[in-house]
Amino acid sequence: MINKIFHLTIVLILMLSVSYGQDTNERTQFFPKEELSVNNIPDKENIWVFILAGQSNMAGRGLVEPQDTVPNNRVYALNGKGNIIIAKEPLHFYEPSMAGLDSGLSFGKSLIKHIPDSISVLLVPTAVGGSSISQWLNDSIHREVKLFSNFKRMAELGMQYGTVKGILWQQGESDAKTKEAPLYQSKLSELIYQFRKVVGNQETTVVIGQLGSYSTNPLWSKINDHIKYYISTDPNTGMINTQDLKDKGDKVHFDSKAQRVLGERYANEFIKLQH
């Protein structure tokens, strides 16, 4: 009897191991196998820097597919060592066990269609899943990342290569709570002030993504109301609509198609704000 139980236990462990391996392989199967260095980095005046900040829907939880790793020689990213590389998804590297498709590469590829051919785009990933806006303001350590200090460090690295033209912010799910939600607008205003202080320009364009409409939490819409109100007070900010976008089945994270659309909308809103 003991031997039978032992045998069944071993079989169960092997089945779970195989299942886990399949899940892991599915998530990572199209991750790039190598980084591509930028051999001829353009002059500083020819690189526009964009900082990607927020929580998991900016960090990316979509499934990376082959189209998401097709490089463009005008779209770069900073890697975990702070080196400039040709951008491929996933861009964010802070949570390797959860990394997935974000909107960054889609944004970069969409943007270069609307700007001079002489300009390249450098994407600077700083988003960390599960982070609240208070944690960003308080420079908390979250998932082993000191949030605001890391934003400052990465922004400064980016500014060695070019000029910060915009900040993309996708966050708010962690603040959709009874006590935190009413304070979101004032905290967002302060955080954007601090972000712009880091990059040295209080008129830097900031584009903010709404939370998705698929959540069963009614406070997600309250966060969106706060974002919408803040946008009305700051002429250098824009908002992208997400109400028609789908989740990946967990009622929390945008799916791959939605992430690509988000990137296009971020680019379109940035261009609109320049005019």
Side-chain angles (χ1 to χ4, degrees):
M1 181 66 179
I2 294 176
N3 287 337
K4 185 176 181 180
I5 293 173
F6 177 77
H7 177 73
L8 289 172
T9 302
I10 294 297
V11 170
L12 180 60
I13 290 172
L14 289 173
M15 289 174 65
L16 288 172
S17 298
V18 170
S19 174
Y20 177 79
Q22 288 174 339
D23 289 343
T24 303
N25 290 339
E26 181 183 17
R27 183 179 67 86
T28 63
Q29 63 179 323
F30 295 118
F31 280 24
K33 300 298 187 290
E34 61 181 0
E35 292 182 342
L36 299 178
S37 300
V38 181
N39 295 324
N40 297 302
I41 300 174
D43 294 335
K44 194 171 182 179
E45 61 268 23
N46 291 327
I47 295 183
W48 289 5
V49 178
F50 293 87
I51 307 171
L52 317 179
Q55 58 180 112
S56 58
N57 272 319
M58 179 59 81
R61 297 292 186 261
L63 186 65
V64 174
E65 298 176 343
Q67 63 183 297
D68 306 308
T69 62
V70 177
N72 185 289
N73 61 9
R74 290 174 57 201
V75 183
Y76 313 138
L78 289 185
N79 66 9
K81 298 178 180 179
N83 298 324
I84 188 170
I85 59 172
I86 300 293
K88 294 183 179 183
E89 293 287 356
L91 300 180
H92 284 79
F93 43 78
Y94 303 101
E95 306 160 279
S97 66
M98 293 180 278
L101 179 65
D102 62 43
S103 58
L105 184 59
S106 173
F107 166 79
K109 286 184 174 180
S110 298
L111 184 63
I112 60 172
K113 298 175 183 177
H114 303 283
I115 61 179
D117 292 343
S118 60
I119 302 298
S120 295
V121 170
L122 173 59
L123 305 169
V124 179
T126 71
V128 181
S131 54
S132 71
I133 200 165
S134 293
Q135 288 176 306
W136 281 83
L137 282 168
N138 295 332
D139 198 16
S140 301
I141 297 175
H142 177 70
R143 298 184 181 174
E144 301 183 7
V145 180
K146 197 169 176 61
L147 294 169
F148 196 86
S149 291
N150 182 65
F151 176 94
K152 185 174 185 291
R153 180 182 71 88
M154 293 294 284
E156 289 173 347
L157 287 171
M159 287 188 284
Q160 292 179 10
Y161 295 104
T163 301
V164 175
K165 300 291 286 188
I167 300 168
L168 311 184
W169 175 254
Q170 184 86 48
Q171 189 275 341
E173 295 89 348
S174 291
D175 292 272
K177 300 173 183 175
T178 304
K179 291 184 178 180
E180 285 80 1
L183 305 174
Y184 193 80
Q185 188 274 323
S186 61
K187 290 182 178 181
L188 181 62
S189 177
E190 175 63 20
L191 185 64
I192 290 176
Y193 171 81
Q194 295 297 337
F195 280 167
R196 287 170 169 161
K197 187 176 180 180
V198 167
V199 303
N201 181 2
Q202 285 299 324
E203 295 184 349
T204 297
T205 299
V206 178
V207 184
I208 304 171
Q210 289 183 321
L211 305 191
S213 63
Y214 42 71
S215 175
T216 57
N217 182 352
L219 291 178
W220 279 37
S221 64
K222 297 297 182 183
I223 297 295
N224 284 342
D225 289 341
H226 284 300
I227 293 172
K228 190 179 297 183
Y229 176 78
Y230 175 74
I231 296 299
S232 71
T233 70
D234 184 342
N236 296 307
T237 58
M239 181 183 73
I240 59 169
N241 187 291
T242 63
Q243 300 308 296
D244 59 328
L245 302 182
K246 306 298 184 183
D247 68 292
K248 64 180 217 175
D250 60 3
K251 300 298 183 184
V252 178
H253 300 109
F254 292 113
D255 66 11
S256 300
K257 181 179 179 181
Q259 284 287 2
R260 296 182 195 108
V261 173
L262 282 171
E264 294 171 0
R265 291 181 183 176
Y266 273 118
N268 290 338
E269 185 65 20
F270 173 80
I271 292 298
K272 186 175 78 173
L273 289 167
Q274 306 316 298
H275 298 295

